[in-house]
Amino acid sequence: MLKDTRIVLGVTGGIAVYKAVELLRLLTKAGACVHVIMTRAAQEFVTPLTFQTLSSHPVHSELFNLIAEQEIGHISLADRANLFVIAPATANVIGKIANGIADDLLTTTAMATKAPVLIAPAMNVNMYTNPIYRENEEKLRRLGYLFVPPEKGALACGWEGEGKLAAPETIFEAIAAALRPRDLAGQTVMVTAGPTREEIDPVRFISNHSSGRMGYAIAGAARQRGARVILVSGPTGLAVPAGVERVCVESARDMQAAVMRHVKECSVVIKAAAVADYRPAERKGDKIKKQAAEMTLTLVKNPDILAELGHLKKHPFLVGFAAETSCLEEYAARKLAEKKLDMIVANDVSSCDAGFNVDTNRALLLFKDGSRQDCPLMSKDELANRILDEVVSRLPARRNH
Ligand code: PMT
């Protein structure tokens, strides 16, 4: 996944240094070539030998080390990196970088590198909320430095609060995201996600098992690849991915209104939402009382938002989903043609590891030019990127029409 990627991992002093060991393990396992720079303080917590063994490269710590300078000096380290990661980063090192102080190998390399810099802070909660620290972080963010925010929890100093180094897996994800190509820069992508709710009365509704995870994964990935992202979301318990503009809706008709309001701004629309095909003919104003042994609910058809988009005179690149329990390819191909889509993601939702309310999915991608691609079981984040790879590769050809 990170094959041929050169990462410089800067490690500063703090109890969380042990997590940097795990991060290094994840990076090398993913194929990255990692050079480690440790400050003196970091070496008080874990010896360089641990990092050297796991990275298969000597650990750098001295600014003026003649042998290292000949082989791979700090400028060379800075030049060669695709990404410079500092984890854990103390308030001290962040303060130095924010103020242009370069008095050791790590800060000198940070100053010299042209690579993106990703910082994972770890410190006491009072330091983290100190206005001086906040100003330093804000300044670096404005300058384009990337941050992986610390977590809340019990801190080594005995305090409780924000300041705990993010989990190695979280930092790893942020690294992978920072290295991803920004091939959707300049595009506005609308993604729909989650279920819709069709109210029966003030306390009951018709809905489905969609958790929103598939759509949110696409929205987050599109944002990481540089797009402006509008996420039209039915009710879910999910947090908005960083930088994504969310529009919350309840019913299919709310979703239709939101989608049609924003469609003119978009070059791509991806409809991962599980929209209710029918709604109650009438929504009762009062709670329906329990009376007869049987009750009939009359349903009427909801608007088909995707079909409406497909039939627009000029429409964005359109990606639909097909949730099927049988005849996957046949039904999906029919939806692709009938709704005039550019591409459809067909998922078999009868399988317990794919589709609704799980973290994984497997899909068959069908395209309007008749081509097809199988995506075996993978995380929804991975599938999101596979879908976007296809969108990116097909967008320019379409613009030439
Ligand atoms: O949310 P998760 O728990 O992560 O689950 C993901 C998912 C299973 C919901 C997702 O992968 C998926 O398959 N979404 C589409 C579900 C669906 O409604 O499929 P469909 O075959 O009924 O609809 C076909 C397409 O038309 C879909 O893109 C749908 O958004 C769209 N549609 C459907 C009905 C309608 N009235 N308007 C629409 O726009």
Side-chain angles (χ1 to χ4, degrees), residues 358-378:
V358 285
D359 289 326
T360 48
N361 208 353
R362 93 166 54 68
L364 170 65
L365 311 185
L366 300 178
F367 303 92
K368 82 168 178 201
D369 62 8
S371 56
R372 65 196 297 289
Q373 206 186 103
D374 268 308
C375 296
L377 190 69
M378 60 182 80

Side-chain angles (χ1 to χ4, degrees), residues 5 67 106 109 111 139 182 185 213 219 227 237 240 259 264 275 277-278 293 302 320 323 357 399:
T5 307
I67 298 169
L106 196 151
T109 311
M111 192 76 115
K139 180 177 176 185
R182 292 177 63 78
R213 283 181 235 174
V240 197
V259 167
K264 281 209 178 80
V275 186
D277 288 321
Y278 293 89
N302 264 330
N357 209 8
R399 272 203 225 104

Side-chain angles (χ1 to χ4, degrees), residues 195-208 235 250-251 276 278-280 283 297 299:
T196 63
R197 281 183 186 171
E198 312 299 323
E199 290 201 347
I200 299 169
D201 69 11
V203 298
R204 304 179 179 95
F205 54 80
I206 298 173
S207 192
N208 57 64
E250 289 270 330
S251 68
Y278 293 89
R279 67 177 185 279
R283 182 214 184 259
L297 200 60
L299 302 178

